[in-house]
Amino acid sequence: MNIVKKLDGMDVIFRKAAPLEKSAYPGLQERSYVLKKGSVHLEGGMPLQADIRVDQDVAVTMRDGVKIRVDVYRPVEDGNYPAIMGWSPYGKRGSVIGNGGFGHPTRMDVPLEWEDGLNKFEAPNPGYWVANGYVVLAPDSRGAFNSEGDIHAWGRQKPEDEYDLIEWAGKQDWSNGKVGLTGNSMLAMSQWFVAGMKPPHLGAIAPWEGASDIYRDTACRGGIPERLFSNGIFSRLCGNNLLEDIPAMTEAHPLLDKYWQTKVSPVEKIDVPAYIVASWTNLLHTEGSFRGWSSIASENKWLRVHNTHEWTDYYNPANVEDLRRFFDRYLKGVENGWEATPPVRLSVFDPGNGDIVNRSEAAFPLKREQVKPLQLGLKDGKPALLHEAQAEATSVSYDVTEREGVSFSVTFDETTELTGYFNLKLWVEAAGNDDMDIFAFVRKRDRDGKIQECPVVTDRTHVGPNGRLRVSLRATNAQKSTELKPHMDFDHQEKLKPGEIVPVDIGFWPYGIRWQPGETLELVITATDLLVRPEFPQIPPIPTSNKGRHIIHFGGKYPSRLLVPHIPGA
C-alpha cells in the first residue's frame, strides 16, 4: 500500500520496506570481539590476513536524533587509522542480494577467493583493508534493517546521514581524522552526493561506476521511464518501516521536475582527491561516472575505464592494490609516487580481435578527437552510412513491433577507432501516434558479416554505443549542449501532430570501440531496447509509448547523420 509523506515540501510516495525475514539478517547484536587471522567467513573465500577487532551494531546518532547501526572493523593494535566505508541500504549482514554479496550463478566472474565474506555487497573486504592499516565502516543506512527511520532514495536525507557518519568516524579515538569513501554502484552514487556537501573529515573518494543524475541516468534515460529494474531492486530492501517508492515516483513524475532536481548530485562542488572508475557497458552508471569525472572541481583526480563488469573490476586484486596506493597517498600521507599515475587510463573494445586495456591518456574526451559525420542515405537502393550527404530526400520506416527496426551501415577500409560521445541527428515522423520512443545502437560486424558484440564477462555481452529518446521531450538546451552532447531539460512535452516531421538529437553515452579493415559499423534504429542487463538477463525490454510506424527521413532537406568521435592514428 502506498503512503504519501511530505518531504522537503513535496508529496513523496512511500511503501512498506520488505520484512527482515526475507533476508539472512541475523538480528541486532551489540557486541565487540576479535576475529583471528586465517579464519574463513565465506566457504571458498579469502582467509583473514590479520586479527580484526569488530564492534558490531554500534549505534550512531544522526543530527535529527535517528540512530543507525554500524559495524566497525579495525586493527587490534591501538593507533590512529584512516577509515573507509561504503554507504548503502543493502545490508551489512545478510545482504538482500545474496550471501557473500553475489546471489548470481555466474557471480559475474568474481572468484570466491576475492571476497572474505565480511564485506557488504559491492563494498570493500575488511580483511584486506584492516591488514593494511585501515578501519572499515559497514553501515546500515537509515531505515535499513535495524537502523531507525525510513529508507530514502538519494535526495537530501541520505547524504546528510552519510555526512554525519563521516564526521562521527573522523572524531573517534582510533581515527587519524581522515575518511575515504569506496564502493560500487549504489555505493558510488552516494559518494557524488555527500562529497558535494564537503564533510570536513572526508579525505578522498573512489566512486566505482555510479550514476550522478537519477532521472537522466537511471529512472528516465532519454526521458523514457524505467520501472522494472528499479522495482526489482527496491522491493528487496529490508527494514522495519517505510521505503521511498522510486518506481511509483517515476510513474507519477515523468518529467524532470522539482522532485528529480533534488536527485541531481552536486558534483561540481566536489574538491577532494578522486579515483573514478567507469566502463562503457554499464546500463546504469556509464554516463554518470563520466559526468562526475568531467564536472568535479578536484585538482587531483584520476579516471580509469575498464572493459569488464563493475563487480569483476572492483574485486580484482590488482585493482584493489591500485586503490590502496591512492588511499595511502591521500588518507595516510604516504609519498608513494601516486601522482605519476596517468590522469586517464582507457580500455577500448575491439571484439573479435583483442581489446586495448589501460591506455594512458591526458584527458577525456581525448584531445585528438575529430568529429566526423556519417550521413544516412541510400547506396544501391539500400540504407547506408555515407561520407557525403545525398541530394534527394527520402525515407524508410518500420513497424514498432519489429525488434530491430531499420539499419544503416558502412564498411571501413582502415583501422578505425571511435572513442567518446556520439550524437545521432535524425528527422523523424510518427505514423499512428503522437509520440515516439527511439532506441539507437551502433554495433560491429566482422568481415563475414557476423555480429561481434563487446564481451563483458562469461556468456554476457553488450551491443555497443547506444542512445535513446522520447521524442516529445526532444527540446534541447542550447546553452548546455555541445556538438556531441545534446542536453535536454526534460521539463515539458511537445507531442507530434499527424504528418509532422521533426529534428531530434539522440545523444549516446560515451564508448570506446575499434573496427579493423573490412569490418562494418552498423547503426540500428528501432522501437525496442536491445540492451540486456548482464546480471538480470530475464528482465524484458522496458515498456514504451510506441504504436504504429516510425518514419526516418534523410537526404536533401533532412540531413540525418551520425556524428562520431574519430581518433586518428588508431
Side-chain angles (χ1 to χ4, degrees):
M1 182 180 71
N2 288 339
I3 300 168
V4 177
K5 299 182 66 175
K6 282 290 184 184
L7 189 64
D8 296 328
M10 295 178 289
D11 289 338
V12 177
I13 302 170
F14 282 75
R15 67 187 184 193
K16 285 289 293 180
L20 304 190
E21 304 82 67
K22 281 199 170 184
S23 73
Y25 178 63
L28 187 66
Q29 297 176 324
E30 292 185 68
R31 56 182 182 140
S32 295
Y33 52 94
V34 173
L35 297 174
K36 302 303 293 182
K37 177 181 179 179
S39 60
V40 176
H41 301 271
L42 171 68
E43 186 175 354
M46 177 196 311
L48 298 190
Q49 301 175 28
D51 291 350
I52 299 178
R53 182 178 304 280
V54 184
D55 301 320
Q56 185 173 328
D57 280 327
V58 176
V60 180
T61 303
M62 304 289 97
R63 66 187 69 181
D64 63 352
V66 164
K67 290 183 173 61
I68 69 167
R69 297 291 175 165
V70 183
D71 290 350
V72 181
Y73 300 89
R74 53 193 176 101
V76 295
E77 299 83 6
D78 290 338
N80 299 114
Y81 305 98
I84 63 171
M85 74 171 181
W87 183 272
S88 77
Y90 291 141
K92 57 187 176 58
R93 293 173 184 271
S95 170
V96 298
I97 306 297
N99 291 334
F102 300 99
H104 299 270
T106 69
R107 288 178 54 88
M108 298 296 111
D109 290 349
V110 178
L112 284 165
E113 58 266 26
W114 287 2
E115 290 186 275
D116 63 18
L118 303 177
N119 59 298
K120 292 176 63 175
F121 176 57
E122 300 178 328
N125 288 302
Y128 171 88
W129 289 96
V130 171
N132 284 284
Y134 287 81
V135 173
V136 176
L137 304 179
D140 278 338
S141 62
R142 177 182 295 248
F145 296 89
N146 271 317
S147 287
E148 296 174 352
D150 299 327
I151 299 175
H152 291 253
W154 307 287
R156 173 189 57 81
Q157 188 64 66
K158 288 191 76 168
E160 278 189 0
D161 290 345
E162 190 170 4
Y163 181 112
D164 291 349
L165 184 56
I166 290 168
E167 291 307 290
W168 173 87
K171 297 172 184 175
Q172 297 305 297
D173 291 341
W174 43 256
S175 174
N176 75 345
K178 295 284 188 180
V179 178
L181 303 179
T182 180
N184 165 236
S185 190
M186 180 84 81
L187 293 76
M189 297 164 76
S190 68
Q191 294 178 51
W192 300 126
F193 285 87
V194 70
M197 298 176 68
K198 301 185 179 183
H201 288 93
L202 180 62
I205 62 172
W208 224 273
E209 302 207 51
S212 53
D213 181 327
I214 306 307
Y215 182 95
R216 290 185 172 91
D217 296 348
T218 65
C220 295
R221 181 184 171 190
I224 305 172
E226 190 290 314
R227 294 186 294 274
L228 298 176
F229 172 78
S230 60
N231 188 62
I233 293 295
F234 279 83
S235 64
R236 297 185 183 194
L237 301 185
C238 300
N240 293 315
N241 300 305
L242 300 178
L243 162 73
E244 187 174 346
D245 195 336
I246 282 287
M249 290 301 289
T250 300
E251 184 172 5
H253 294 259
L255 301 180
L256 206 169
D257 57 11
K258 182 181 176 182
Y259 173 75
W260 293 112
Q261 289 166 2
T262 68
K263 300 182 189 304
V264 178
S265 57
V267 288
E268 68 282 351
K269 295 181 180 179
I270 297 173
D271 57 9
V272 295
Y275 179 151
I276 298 167
V277 175
S279 72
W280 312 118
T281 57
N282 199 299
L283 274 61
L284 293 171
H285 303 305
T286 292
E287 171 61 1
S289 301
F290 282 95
R291 184 189 301 110
W293 153 257
S294 63
S295 301
I296 65 174
S298 306
E299 293 183 2
N300 300 305
K301 63 178 182 178
W302 288 265
L303 172 68
R304 184 172 60 78
V305 185
H306 64 86
N307 65 334
T308 181
H309 188 269
E310 54 191 302
W311 301 340
T312 323
D313 188 80
Y314 184 72
Y315 286 98
N316 186 303
N319 298 331
V320 175
E321 288 289 320
D322 201 49
L323 177 60
R324 181 167 68 88
R325 289 186 63 241
F326 170 75
F327 277 151
D328 280 353
R329 176 66 188 89
Y330 292 107
L331 300 182
K332 291 184 175 182
V334 177
E335 297 289 347
N336 57 10
W338 170 263
E339 292 90 340
T341 303
V344 176
R345 291 172 284 175
L346 287 186
S347 295
V348 179
F349 283 116
D350 192 349
N353 300 301
D355 299 345
I356 298 169
V357 178
N358 281 345
R359 186 177 73 196
S360 298
E361 297 286 352
F364 185 88
L366 306 189
K367 293 182 178 180
R368 62 189 184 279
E369 169 189 280
Q370 298 175 350
V371 179
K372 291 193 173 183
L374 296 173
Q375 308 286 345
L376 275 64
L378 296 177
K379 184 177 182 180
D380 300 327
K382 296 180 180 179
L385 293 171
L386 309 174
H387 296 293
E388 301 292 338
Q390 69 178 37
E392 64 278 9
T394 188
S395 66
V396 294
S397 68
Y398 55 87
D399 190 281
V400 298
T401 60
E402 298 175 29
R403 174 175 166 77
E404 296 210 354
V406 63
S407 64
F408 299 76
S409 61
V410 60
T411 299
F412 296 116
D413 56 10
E414 62 181 4
T415 300
T416 301
E417 178 180 325
L418 305 180
T419 294
Y421 290 87
F422 298 60
N423 186 12
L424 178 60
K425 293 176 173 287
L426 295 179
W427 290 77
V428 301
E429 176 187 356
N433 199 6
D434 62 0
D435 209 345
M436 306 168 71
D437 288 341
I438 301 177
F439 300 84
F441 304 87
V442 163
R443 65 187 180 193
K444 178 177 177 177
R445 289 186 183 269
D446 64 17
R447 295 173 183 85
D448 298 322
K450 181 181 178 182
I451 294 172
Q452 294 288 338
E453 293 193 339
C454 298
V456 179
V457 291
T458 302
D459 298 328
R460 302 286 195 273
T461 59
H462 186 271
V463 176
N466 63 92
R468 63 188 62 187
L469 179 68
R470 175 158 286 180
V471 171
S472 62
L473 301 178
R474 63 190 177 277
T476 58
N477 184 316
Q479 285 71 41
K480 295 182 178 180
S481 295
T482 65
E483 187 176 21
L484 288 177
K485 290 183 65 179
H487 182 94
M488 282 77 173
D489 291 326
F490 296 120
D491 58 1
H492 70 281
Q493 287 188 320
E494 299 176 54
K495 293 286 191 174
L496 297 173
K497 302 179 181 65
E500 183 179 15
I501 302 171
V502 299
V504 298
D505 283 80
I506 303 177
F508 284 27
W509 282 5
Y511 219 88
I513 184 170
R514 276 187 169 197
W515 284 259
Q516 298 301 324
E519 295 180 332
T520 296
L521 180 157
E522 183 178 27
L523 168 67
V524 179
I525 303 170
T526 178
T528 303
D529 186 7
L530 301 182
L531 294 177
V532 177
R533 298 182 185 276
E535 315 89 348
F536 308 106
Q538 72 277 15
I539 297 179
I542 64 175
T544 71
S545 63
N546 289 322
K547 59 184 178 180
R549 295 187 70 81
H550 288 175
I551 304 172
I552 311 298
H553 295 264
F554 52 91
K557 63 180 180 179
Y558 303 118
S560 293
R561 61 198 185 278
L562 175 67
L563 299 179
V564 299
H566 179 255
I567 307 303

